Amino acid sequence: MNALKLAPARQATLTRVYTTRATDALASTTASFAIPLLVLMTTGSTSMTGIAFVLEWTPRLAAFTFTGSLVDRWGAGLMARHANLVRSVGMVTAGVCLVILPASGAATTAVVLAFGTVSGLLAEMSFVALETIGAEFGRRFEHQAHHIQSVNTGIDQGALLAGPLLVGVLLQAGTSTVLFAVAGLSVAAAIGIPGDLAHARHSATQSNLRMGMQALLRGRALFWLVVGLAACNLSSAVLQAATPALLLVRFQRSAADVSMLWSTVAVVALLAVWGARRAIDRWQVNVVGAVAAAVSTVACLAVAMVPEFLAYAIAVVVFMAAEGALTVVLRTLRSQLIPAEGFGSILSASILVVLLPMPLAGVLVAVVPFGSLTLLFPVCAALQAILLWLCFRRPH
C-alpha cells in the first residue's frame, strides 16, 4: 500500500489542497478569459483589448520577481490565502462599480483594466504559493510525487476548459456577475487552505529572484529541465498563436472550427495527463518523458507538412496530448530537483524562464510572413528535440 492510503488524515488534507487549487485555478482562468470580453463589450475596440492583454500579463511576469521571496519568508499557505482574499475584495469592489457605472465609457473601461491588472498579479502570486504546497506534499509522499503533479496538471487543464464556459454562462446575467463569481471562488480558495499550511512559516533565509536564478544556473539537471520546459512552451505557444490564422485562411475554416479544435484538444490533454500518471506507475518517469518528447516533436513536424484540415487537426491534438503528458513528467522532476530551502525563489525563477517564450511566440507569428508561418514549426521541433534530449539523456 502506498503512503497516501496508509494515512487517511493526510489524504484528507491532500484532497483539500486539490480542492483549493481547483477553485483558485478556476478563479484565475475565469478572470483571464473574461477580461478581453469585458473590455470589448465596454469599448467596442480591439486595440483596447490588446492593451488589456498587456496590462494583465505585465504584472503576471513582474510577480515572479518578488513572489518567491515572499513565499520563502512568510510561507506558501499564508501567501495563497492572502492573495485570494485580496483578489476577492478587489473583484467585489469592481463588480459594485460596474453595477453603478454606465455600460460603457471611460470610467467603466478603467475599472475593467484595473481589475485585469490586479487579477493578473494576484493570480501568479497564488499560483506560485500553491505550486510550492504541491511540491511540499510531493516530498512528503515521495513515491506519489507524479500522482500529485498529474492531479495538479489536470486541474489546470480542466480550469482552462471550464473557464471560458463559465464566462459565457455568467455574462448572460451581466458583466458584474463574472466579477462576483471570481470573488466567490477566491474566498472558497482562501478558506480551503488547511490551517497548518496557512500558519506555517518558512525560514527567514535571504531569498530573492537573483538568488533563485543563480541556483537555477548552478543545478545542471534543473537548468536543462527548465530550458526543456521552456522549449516545449515555445512550440505550444507558436501553435496556439498561429492556428487561428492557418485554419481561417489556409484551410478556409470557420471560427467555430477553431473553437471546436481547442475544445477537443483540452479534453484529449486531460486524458493524456491521466494516462501519464498510469504510465509512470508502470515505467520510470524518464522513460515516459522521453516517449512523450519524441511524440511531441514528431507531431510538431507533422503540423508543418500536412495538406488538409483533418490531418492538421489530428496533428495538433496529438501534439497537445503529448505536451500534456510531458508537462506531468517535467513538473514532477522539477518539484524533486528544486531544494526545499529557497524553493519559492527558485520556482519563481524557473516559471519566469518557462513563460518567456509566450510573448516571443507572439512576436514570431507577428513578424513572419503568413506564407512562411509553417516554417516556424520545424524550427521549434528541432529546438525542442535538442533541449529535451539534453534534459533526459541521464537519469534524474
Side-chain angles (χ1 to χ4, degrees):
M1 290 180 127
N2 58 51
L4 291 175
K5 290 182 179 178
L6 290 174
R10 288 189 173 185
Q11 174 68 74
T13 300
L14 189 57
T15 300
R16 190 172 174 183
V17 169
Y18 288 150
T19 304
T20 298
R21 187 182 181 104
T23 52
D24 176 87
L26 187 56
S28 297
T29 55
T30 299
S32 180
F33 279 103
I35 291 164
L37 286 174
L38 293 179
V39 170
L40 191 60
M41 291 170 64
T42 57
T43 66
S45 168
T46 55
S47 298
M48 288 301 298
T49 303
I51 293 173
F53 184 84
V54 172
L55 289 176
E56 181 188 4
W57 274 98
T58 299
R60 280 178 180 262
L61 293 176
F64 296 113
T65 64
F66 61 87
T67 298
S69 178
L70 293 177
V71 167
D72 288 336
R73 179 172 293 275
W74 301 107
L78 193 68
M79 278 298 303
R81 175 171 288 182
H82 283 182
N84 274 289
L85 287 176
V86 172
R87 178 164 60 182
S88 66
V89 172
M91 296 308 99
V92 169
T93 303
V96 170
C97 289
L98 290 186
V99 170
I100 298 173
L101 294 172
S104 61
T108 303
T109 302
V111 168
V112 175
L113 291 176
F115 152 66
T117 302
V118 173
S119 176
L121 175 67
L122 295 172
E124 297 307 336
M125 292 178 68
S126 62
F127 176 77
V128 171
L130 291 172
E131 275 286 283
T132 304
I133 291 173
E136 170 60 28
F137 275 92
R139 285 189 291 270
R140 293 184 191 180
F141 310 115
E142 182 179 355
H143 300 296
Q144 301 293 331
H146 64 283
H147 281 233
I148 293 170
Q149 289 302 325
S150 70
V151 172
N152 286 342
T153 303
I155 288 171
D156 294 343
Q157 292 285 349
L160 287 173
L161 180 61
L165 297 176
L166 184 59
V167 171
V169 172
L170 293 174
L171 280 176
Q172 303 301 314
T175 55
S176 60
T177 306
V178 179
L179 277 66
F180 293 142
V182 173
L185 289 167
S186 299
V187 170
I191 294 174
I193 297 172
D196 60 328
L197 292 175
H199 300 293
R201 294 287 193 277
H202 285 205
S203 65
T205 304
Q206 186 181 5
S207 171
N208 52 51
L209 183 64
R210 181 179 60 83
M211 296 178 66
M213 284 291 187
Q214 290 174 345
L216 193 62
L217 293 173
R218 285 195 303 268
R220 188 173 180 181
L222 179 60
F223 171 78
W224 287 117
L225 178 72
V226 171
V227 172
L229 191 53
C232 293
N233 249 18
L234 178 62
S235 299
S236 177
V238 168
L239 183 68
Q240 292 180 53
T243 290
L246 290 173
L247 260 58
L248 293 174
V249 179
R250 180 184 176 190
F251 296 113
Q252 296 295 302
R253 310 301 294 196
S254 67
D257 290 325
V258 178
S259 299
M260 180 64 70
L261 176 59
W262 289 128
S263 296
T264 303
V265 163
V267 173
V268 174
L270 276 173
L271 294 175
V273 167
W274 175 82
R277 183 181 70 176
R278 301 295 295 270
I280 294 172
D281 283 338
R282 187 168 183 177
W283 297 288
Q284 292 183 348
V285 66
N286 272 55
V287 173
V288 177
V291 172
V295 173
S296 173
T297 301
V298 171
C300 191
L301 283 171
V303 166
M305 300 168 62
V306 293
E308 299 176 348
F309 167 71
L310 181 59
Y312 181 89
I314 292 173
V316 170
V317 169
V318 171
F319 172 81
M320 296 303 289
E323 288 289 290
L326 198 55
T327 299
V328 175
V329 171
L330 294 177
R331 285 172 64 162
T332 299
L333 293 174
R334 184 178 66 182
S335 68
Q336 295 172 346
L337 289 172
I338 297 179
E341 189 68 26
F343 184 93
S345 291
I346 302 173
L347 177 64
S348 289
S350 71
I351 294 176
L352 186 59
V353 172
V354 167
L355 285 180
L356 286 177
M358 304 299 283
L360 175 60
V363 172
L364 289 174
V365 172
V367 300
V368 173
F370 180 80
S372 304
L373 203 55
T374 54
L375 296 178
L376 288 174
F377 298 119
V379 175
C380 289
L383 181 64
Q384 174 178 304
I386 293 170
L387 294 178
L388 288 176
W389 178 79
L390 291 170
C391 174
F392 290 115
R393 63 179 173 169
R394 59 171 60 87
H396 291 88

